[in-house]
Every structure is written in structure tokens, then in C-alpha cells.
């Protein structure tokens, strides 16, 4: 790291008028003409110790070469030459427009120079409206009006005509720059979690600068030992190295995040690579789920073929041949059955140097796959993920609840109770921490009391707290609909269907996202963590554990057949999932069963 004024982990840079420290992350140059990827412009008194600091650290973690300045300056001083040089040497600028941004002449001078750079080059400008309205910036209203009024007042107080003229010229440039930046497409943080907002900004920068998305690493607190273990396993090229690594642990423990992290770091070191995510959910209840995953894997590790194959065994053979020909890095995420594992790995072994990571809740599943029953038995390593220790749990909870590593004063006692309750489960710490962000101590204590009254599993209790905190019946019904039927479905398709059922999706989906119960995928699909989806289905299942026709929703196809065949559920049923291709496939068998049931019914009646 090239550093002129180094910020060490855990240190707190001094507050300043503008709030920058000169530092950059990474010696990498994006091109010969650009020393930096990103220049950060912000008002230190507003965001230096909070949002901008977290954004800067996220850019560092993503290996984005970032310039940030943190030196105390006096109001009225000219922009330092090194800042002008840094702007011109950057490929992009992120401008954090906060409440007091326009009160700093340095910020305004930076803004003018950044927009000039945009006009004369391909410089990318990304405005961030941090708790301010774009229209307030554009029309110089609210705090921006007050700031510009103070600048004009200083101009009027100036007795030197030349200096007054210089003030007038500057104010004119600043005003035009504020109007221009407000008209650019930007990002508005209002009503969103800062962690998710920052992740979106980082991804946007990667996309705009054409950097590889695989380099973005998730927040992994307490996983250094696991990362080092897997890195050592991947880099061991000896004949004694293992070909398969199974990462196991309970749901929400961080298996997928860990695998994504390592995949992002090392996937480019192999001839080809593939990350098949969320396998169990994609196969669950879908007629062609496994076939779709096989097609994805074939496409990513072998040459695309125009011949469409609809047979699992034929696709398995194609996967086997591809794995035998190339050095592949393959991650199979959330495997739950031998059928899935055998269909995606086959039985013929791998090309030398190939590495396969399997994440699963069943730590013994891999041992039973067909590959281990052949003479070409691959070497197998195992890594079991356990919960975070107390210090790590507290740090992760604080990050999501307070956006820092330590609790606010007065929260310590209830914080420790909540951290203890989560039992080191990263997902529980994240979900509960985010749900308590910006809440007062009384709300936290009420949340703790609510957790004590629950009788089901601790993990489910933690996840359910976000559901129970939904204020409207509409949002709760929307959540249950999505959990049962619409995960993985295009957002607009889902909205069209649900709006026709008198469900308000416009505000409802936003509320679910805010409660960490829902997210929107890269392809605009509705996404829900598997444990959250299971919790939602558990809530519906509790309506009638043994009689599915008395529930409001039925999503398992076998239960759907049963409800329809017995002509039940007319009063309670709001939604039912039925794969018509399965119905067509079992048409003869279903017809026979219906006739048999009718015959049995007549015999019982005659007796």
C-alpha cells in the first residue's frame, strides 16, 4: 500500500474541515496514464468517520486503487496542487454530496475540477446523494442554499475589488457545478442499509471501469484461518494434494461467502472455472432444475454446443469429459443429495491440477458419491466451519448495527445479550444487527424480550424477528407469497401477478429488502437466503403441520397433487404450486390412482 498519511485498522483520523487523508490502496495502475482508479470527494465533518471511511475500506478490500485526502485545511485556501494532480490522474471520481458539502470551498473547487475533467476526458463521475435530495442540490435549496448564502456574504464583506471579483467568479462556477452534478445519474442512500449501498457502489465502479467482478470480496470477519487453509490447499501442486475439498457446516455459518471469496481470488489461475450457486434451492420443486445446472456447468467449462440434451446421464458424460481434459476450478455450492453430486461430478476423475470445492450441510455426503466408489478415487480434504468466537461475533454484530467495530455508549449490556443469543452464527448476527441499525436502546431491549418468548430453534427465532417486525399485514403476506413461490422469479413478473392478487408490491418489496428478508439479483430476480426462505415456509407450515389443505399456501408438488385430488383447501388456500410437466408425466399413474381411490371409496360405503 502506498501511503503518505497511513490509516491503520482501529485508528481514528482526526476530524478536519474537509476530512481527507492522502492515501492510496494498492500499487496497481489501471492504465499507464492513470495512477488511480477512483478519487474520493467528500465533506469530512459529515462522513469521514462513518460512510466515507467504510466506502474507502470497501474499495481497498476490492483492490480498487483509491485516492483519499485527509489533511486539515483552513477555509478559503486554494486547492492543493497534489489534489488537482490526483483528480487528473484518476479514471473516476465518487462525489459524496452530504448536508455540509457545499459549505467547504475545497469541496466545491474539487467538484469544479472533476466536472472539467469529465468534459475533457473519459473521466467517470458518480454522485452519491448522502441523506440529501438531488433537487436540493440542483435548485440550491435547504443546506445548499444556506452554504451558498454564506459564501455570497463573505464576497459582500470583501473590500478588495479584485478579491470580490474572484469570489463572484468562483460562486458562479460552484453554482453551475452543483446544478450539473445534480443532473447526473447518481445513487441515493435514503432508506437503505449502508453496507448494501456500499457494495452496490463498488460493483458499479467495477462495471464502469471494466474490472473483473470476481475480485469483489464479501465481508468475512473471523474467517482468516479458513481462508489460509483453503489457499494452502489450492496452491499445493504436489501429487499428494487433494482434488476435492468439502466445506461443511450448518446453514448461515458462512460456507457460501467463504467459497465466493476464495473463488474470486483464484479462479483466474485455472484454465477454466465455474461457480454453481444455491444448488439445493434451484433443484427443489423444479422439474428441470438439475438439467439447468448441468447446462450451466457444461457451458462454463467446455465449448458451447448447439445440440440441446434433455437427459441427465448424457449431460453428466459431457461434464466428465470436460473435467478430464482441462485444469478446472469448480465450486458446487449447497449440495444436499447424492443425485446432485453424481450428476455434476460424474465418475471418471479429473485432469491433474483440477480443484473442486463442495459446500454442504451434510459433512459426510461427499464420501458416498459414485466418484469415491471407483478405482479413480480422488483425494479428499474436509473443512468444517464452526461459529464465530465471542470477539468476532461482537465485531460482526457491531459492524451491521453501528457501522463500526465497537458499540455505542449505553448499548453494551443488551448488545452482549443479543450476541450471546446468536451463538456465533454469522447470518443471525448480520440479520439481527441490520434490523437494529439506528434503533434506540428500548427497541433493542424489546427485541431481546421477544426472542426469549419464542419456543422454536434459536436460528429460526433470529430470522423470524425481522418478519415479526413488519408492521403491515400486506408485507407479511407478500413475504410468505415470495418465500413459497417467487424466489428466483423476475421481479416485474412477480409484481404483475401479486398486484392482481391485491398485494401492494411497490412499497412491500422495499420494506422486505430493508428488513434483510429479500434482495434483488443481478438479473432482476427476487433473491432470498435459503434460511430466510425456510423460515417463511415454516411460518406457513405452522398454520397446519399435518394437513396441507388447511394452510394458506402449498408449494410441494406432491402435497399439491394430494390437495387437488382430494378436492380440499377451497376455503383457506391462497396459492398452490403445481408443475404441469410433472402432471403430464404422471398422467397414466394419476388416472390409475384416482380410479383405485374411487373403487376403494365405493367398497367402504357399501359395507
Amino acid at each position: 500500500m502506498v501511503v503518505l498519511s497511513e490509516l491503520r485498522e482501529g485508528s481514528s483520523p482526526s476530524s478536519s474541515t474537509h476530512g481527507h487523508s492522502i492515501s492510496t490502496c494498492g500499487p496497481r495502475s489501471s492504465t499507464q496514464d492513470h495512477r488511480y482508479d477512483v478519487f474520493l470527494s467528500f465533506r469530512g465533518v459529515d462522513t469521514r468517520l462513518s460512510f466515507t471511511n467504510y466506502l474507502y475500506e470497501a474499495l481497498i478490500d476490492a483492490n480498487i486503487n483509491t485516492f483519499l485526502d485527509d489533511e486539515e485545511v483552513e477555509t478559503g485556501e486554494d486547492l492543493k496542487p497534489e489534489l488537482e494532480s490526483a483528480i487528473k490522474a484518476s479514471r473516476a471520481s465518487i462525489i459524496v454530496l452530504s448536508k455540509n458539502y457545499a459549505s467547504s470551498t475545497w469541496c466545491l473547487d474539487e467538484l469544479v475540477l472533476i466536472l472539467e475533467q469529465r468534459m475533457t476526458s473519459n473521466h467517470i463521475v458518480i454522485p452519491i446523494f448522502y441523506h440529501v435530495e438531488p433537487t436540493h442540490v440542483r435548485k440550491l435549496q435547504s443546506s445548499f442554499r444556506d452554504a451558498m448564502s454564506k459564501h455570497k456574504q463573505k464576497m459582500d464583506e470583501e473590500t478588495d475589488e479584485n478579491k470580490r471579483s474572484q469570489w463572484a467568479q468562483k460562486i458562479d462556477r460552484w453554482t453551475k457545478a452543483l446544478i450539473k452534478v445534480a443532473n447526473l445519474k447518481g445513487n441515493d442512500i435514503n432508506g437503505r442499509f449502508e453496507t448494501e449501498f456500499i457494495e452496490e457502489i463498488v460493483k458499479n465502479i467495477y462495471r464502469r471501469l471494466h474490472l473483473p467482478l470476481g475480485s469483489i470480496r464479501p465481508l468475512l470477519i473471523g474467517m482468516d484461518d479458513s481462508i489460509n487453509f483453503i489457499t494452502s490447499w489450492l496452491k499445493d501442486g504436489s501429487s499428494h494434494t487433494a482434488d476435492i475439498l468439502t466445506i461443511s457446516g450448518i446453514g448461515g455459518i458462512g460456507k457460501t461467502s467463504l467459497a465466493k471469496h476464495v473463488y474470486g481470488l483464484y479462479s483466474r489461475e485455472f484454465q477454466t472455472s465455474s461457480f454453481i450457486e444455491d444448488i439445493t434451492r434451484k433443484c427443489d420443486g423444479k422439474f428441470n432444475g438439475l438439467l439447468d445446472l448441468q447446462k450451466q456447468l457444461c457451458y462454463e467449462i467446455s465449448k458451447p454446443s448447439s445440440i440441446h440434451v434433455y437427459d441427465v446421464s448424457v449431460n453428466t458424460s459431457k461434464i466428465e469429459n470436460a473435467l478430464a481434459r482441462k485444469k478446472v476450478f469448480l465450486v458446487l455450492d449447497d449440495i444436499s443429495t447424492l443425485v446432485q453430486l453424481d450428476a455434476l461430478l460424474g465418475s471418471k476423475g479429473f485432469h491433474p491440477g483440477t480443484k473442486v470445492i463442495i459446500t454442504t450441510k451434510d459433512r459426510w455426503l461427499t464420501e458416498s458419491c459414485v466418484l469415491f466408489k471407483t478405482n479413480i478415487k480422488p483425494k479428499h480434504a474436509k473443512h468444517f466451519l464452526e461459529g464465530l468466537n465471542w470477539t468476532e461475533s461482537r465485531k460482526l454484530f457491531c459492524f451491521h448495527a453501528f457501522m463500526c467495530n465497537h458499540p455505542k455508549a449505553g448499548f453494551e449490556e443488551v448488545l452482549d445479550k443479543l450476541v450471546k443469543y446468536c451463538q456465533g452464527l454469522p447470518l443471525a448476527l448480520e440479520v439481527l444487527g441490520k434490523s437494529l441499525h439506528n434503533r434506540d436502546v428500548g427497541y433493542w431491549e424489546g427485541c431481546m424480550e421477544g426472542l426469549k418468548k419464542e419456543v422454536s430453534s434459536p436460528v429460526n427465532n433470529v430470522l423470524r424477528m425481522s418478519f415479526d417486525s413488519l408492521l403491515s399485514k400486506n408485507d407479511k403476506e407478500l413475504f410468505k407469497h415470495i418465500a413459497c413461490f417467487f424466489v428466483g422469479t423476475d421481479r416485474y413478473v412477480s409484481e404483475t401477478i401479486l398486484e392482481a392478487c391485491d398485494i401492494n408490491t411497490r412499497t412491500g418489496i422495499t420494506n422486505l429488502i430493508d428488513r434483510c428478508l429479500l434482495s434483488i439479483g443481478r438479473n432482476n430476480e427476487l433473491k432470498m437466503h435459503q434460511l430466510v426462505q425456510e423460515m417463511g415456509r415454516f411460518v406457513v407450515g405452522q398454520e397446519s403441520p399435518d394437513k396441507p389443505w388447511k394452510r394458506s399456501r402449498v408449494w410441494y408438488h406432491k402435497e399439491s397433487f394430494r390437495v387437488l385430488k382430494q378436492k380440499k383447501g377451497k376455503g383457506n388456500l391462497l396459492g398452490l404450486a403445481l408443475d404441469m410437466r410433472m402432471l403430464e408425466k404422471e398422467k397414466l399413474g394419476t388416472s390409475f390412482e384416482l380410479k383405485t381411490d374411487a373403487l376403494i371409496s365405493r367398497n367402504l360405503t357399501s359395507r
Side-chain angles (χ1 to χ4, degrees):
M1 178 182 286
V2 180
V3 180
L4 299 182
S5 176
E6 186 174 2
L7 295 176
R8 300 186 181 276
E9 182 179 1
S11 65
S12 299
S14 59
S15 178
S16 64
T17 303
H18 184 56
H20 286 245
S21 79
I22 301 174
S23 61
T24 67
C25 64
R28 173 178 56 83
S29 294
S30 302
T31 68
Q32 284 187 328
D33 298 328
H34 295 100
R35 185 179 176 189
Y36 310 109
D37 289 322
V38 173
F39 178 92
L40 273 177
S41 177
F42 63 97
R43 184 70 167 102
V45 70
D46 286 343
T47 67
R48 179 62 190 94
L49 299 180
S50 54
F51 177 78
T52 299
N53 187 43
Y54 309 136
L55 174 59
Y56 175 68
E57 290 180 355
L59 292 167
I60 290 175
D61 288 341
N63 199 30
I64 296 175
N65 199 13
T66 303
F67 183 96
L68 178 144
D69 175 53
D70 188 14
E71 286 199 351
E72 292 190 17
V73 296
E74 295 296 330
T75 302
E77 286 189 5
D78 292 331
L79 200 64
K80 292 187 297 185
E82 54 263 40
L83 291 181
E84 295 186 30
S85 299
I87 291 171
K88 293 177 180 179
S90 300
R91 299 176 63 193
S93 290
I94 296 177
I95 304 169
V96 184
L97 294 159
S98 56
K99 181 180 178 181
N100 294 297
Y101 184 89
S103 65
S104 166
T105 58
W106 266 40
C107 285
L108 294 172
D109 284 342
E110 284 181 358
L111 178 62
V112 169
L113 190 57
I114 288 169
L115 293 176
E116 288 177 355
Q117 189 70 10
R118 178 177 180 269
M119 296 298 294
T120 58
S121 68
N122 294 323
H123 192 84
I124 296 168
V125 177
I126 300 177
I128 305 298
F129 298 98
Y130 186 78
H131 299 303
V132 298
E133 296 294 332
T135 185
H136 290 170
V137 182
R138 186 183 302 110
K139 297 181 179 181
L140 300 183
Q141 297 175 342
S142 189
S143 62
F144 288 83
R145 176 191 58 232
D146 297 340
M148 297 308 293
S149 296
K150 290 181 179 179
H151 295 320
K152 289 178 182 178
Q153 182 180 348
K154 290 182 179 179
M155 178 189 70
D156 294 337
E157 293 172 353
E158 181 59 62
T159 57
D160 188 300
E161 282 297 326
N162 288 332
K163 290 185 177 180
R164 183 184 296 180
S165 176
Q166 291 174 4
W167 265 105
Q169 293 173 14
K170 280 192 172 186
I171 289 173
D172 181 62
R173 288 197 299 268
W174 295 339
T175 301
K176 290 178 179 177
L178 288 169
I179 295 172
K180 186 177 293 185
V181 76
N183 287 326
L184 297 178
K185 183 178 180 181
N187 296 278
D188 189 345
I189 194 174
N190 289 339
R192 304 167 67 183
F193 287 116
E194 290 192 358
T195 49
E196 295 175 357
F197 185 59
I198 287 172
E199 183 179 356
E200 179 183 306
I201 295 169
V202 174
K203 287 183 177 179
N204 186 26
I205 284 289
Y206 264 79
R207 181 180 60 80
R208 299 281 294 275
L209 296 180
H210 304 291
L211 297 171
L213 271 173
S215 298
I216 298 178
R217 295 175 286 173
L219 177 69
L220 295 176
I221 291 175
M223 288 199 176
D224 290 345
D225 290 343
S226 294
I227 294 169
N228 292 335
F229 173 82
I230 299 173
T231 297
S232 177
W233 171 78
L234 276 169
K235 291 185 172 295
D236 184 359
S238 70
S239 58
H240 301 294
T241 184
D243 301 312
I244 296 178
L245 171 65
T246 298
I247 302 175
S248 59
I250 64 171
I253 203 70
K255 303 183 294 295
T256 300
S257 296
L258 178 61
K260 277 185 179 179
H261 178 92
V262 176
Y263 183 82
L265 290 176
Y266 300 110
S267 58
R268 285 172 290 177
E269 297 183 9
F270 293 76
Q271 284 180 274
T272 186
S273 58
S274 178
F275 192 109
I276 309 297
E277 187 175 2
D278 211 2
I279 292 171
T280 294
R281 186 186 62 79
K282 290 176 179 176
C283 290
D284 182 27
K286 292 187 178 181
F287 188 65
N288 286 331
L290 189 54
L291 276 173
D292 291 340
L293 294 177
Q294 286 184 315
K295 290 175 184 177
Q296 178 187 341
L297 181 54
C298 286
Y299 179 84
E300 292 179 350
I301 67 174
S302 63
K303 294 181 179 179
S305 173
S306 59
I307 301 174
H308 297 288
V309 179
Y310 297 96
D311 186 283
V312 170
S313 61
V314 175
N315 281 321
T316 298
S317 180
K318 292 172 66 176
I319 292 170
E320 287 175 335
N321 293 334
L323 291 174
R325 288 194 306 265
K326 296 179 180 179
K327 180 183 176 182
V328 178
F329 183 19
L330 172 62
V331 177
L332 301 178
D333 173 56
D334 194 27
I335 289 279
S336 61
T337 69
L338 289 174
V339 172
Q340 297 164 359
L341 197 53
D342 291 341
L344 295 170
L345 282 185
S347 60
K348 294 184 178 179
F350 311 134
H351 185 280
T354 287
K355 298 286 186 177
V356 179
I357 292 178
I358 295 166
T359 73
T360 178
K361 298 182 187 71
D362 184 350
R363 58 196 305 182
W364 303 109
L365 183 68
T366 312
E367 297 279 4
S368 304
C369 72
V370 67
L371 190 61
F372 281 84
K373 297 177 182 177
T374 64
N375 294 328
I376 317 172
K377 184 178 180 180
K379 294 179 176 63
H380 185 203
K382 296 179 181 179
H383 186 68
F384 180 69
L385 278 184
E386 297 180 346
L388 303 180
N389 63 34
W390 176 258
T391 302
E392 296 162 347
S393 296
R394 208 168 186 266
K395 183 178 179 181
L396 182 60
F397 196 98
C398 286
F399 178 84
H400 291 294
F402 303 112
M403 299 297 294
C404 62
N405 293 335
H406 306 286
K408 293 180 180 179
F411 285 79
E412 294 87 347
E413 185 177 349
V414 66
L415 166 72
D416 288 347
K417 291 179 181 178
L418 288 165
V419 170
K420 182 180 179 180
Y421 186 84
C422 290
Q423 300 179 357
L425 187 72
L427 179 65
L429 292 160
E430 177 183 351
V431 171
L432 191 55
K434 284 181 176 179
S435 70
L436 295 172
H437 179 62
N438 279 340
R439 301 287 190 176
D440 58 31
V441 176
Y443 188 93
W444 282 49
E445 291 172 345
C447 175
M448 188 67 241
E449 289 302 313
L451 287 170
K452 290 178 180 178
K453 295 176 183 178
E454 295 289 342
V455 294
S456 53
S457 71
V459 174
N460 196 64
N461 291 348
V462 171
L463 297 173
R464 185 163 179 172
M465 284 299 297
S466 291
F467 169 78
D468 290 336
S469 68
L470 293 171
L471 298 179
S472 75
K473 180 181 178 181
N474 176 86
D475 293 348
K476 290 185 176 181
E477 293 302 308
L478 174 63
F479 171 75
K480 290 188 281 188
H481 273 308
I482 294 174
C484 292
F485 305 120
F486 293 99
V487 173
T489 304
D490 180 83
R491 176 177 183 170
Y492 297 125
V493 172
S494 304
E495 287 179 345
T496 300
I497 296 171
L498 290 168
E499 289 286 353
C501 300
D502 294 326
I503 297 290
N504 182 354
T505 59
R506 180 169 297 182
T507 59
I509 285 179
T510 299
N511 291 338
L512 295 184
I513 293 173
D514 289 343
R515 288 290 193 278
C516 306
L517 293 170
L518 187 69
S519 62
I520 307 300
R522 189 180 303 174
N523 297 317
N524 204 43
E525 74 276 19
L526 299 180
K527 295 184 67 178
M528 193 175 282
H529 191 282
Q530 180 181 328
L531 281 182
V532 176
Q533 184 182 20
E534 289 177 1
M535 177 270 292
R537 291 183 169 183
F538 174 81
V539 171
V540 176
Q542 288 301 103
E543 295 170 0
S544 178
D546 301 319
K547 298 176 181 178
W549 57 87
K550 289 189 175 183
R551 300 175 196 158
S552 59
R553 297 157 183 86
V554 182
W555 57 93
Y556 286 121
H557 297 298
K558 289 183 179 180
E559 292 183 343
S560 298
F561 278 124
R562 183 182 172 191
V563 170
L564 291 175
K565 283 164 61 177
Q566 297 180 359
K567 298 181 181 180
K568 295 184 176 182
K570 294 180 181 179
N572 302 317
L573 203 57
L574 298 176
L576 179 147
L578 179 65
D579 193 321
M580 297 304 293
R581 291 170 296 183
M582 287 185 64
L583 183 62
E584 193 68 26
K585 183 179 178 181
E586 300 187 11
K587 188 174 182 181
L588 292 176
T590 303
S591 176
F592 173 78
E593 289 172 10
L594 286 171
K595 291 177 181 177
T596 303
D597 289 345
L599 179 61
I600 293 172
S601 178
R602 286 198 298 272
N603 289 338
L604 289 173
T605 303
S606 64
R607 291 179 183 177

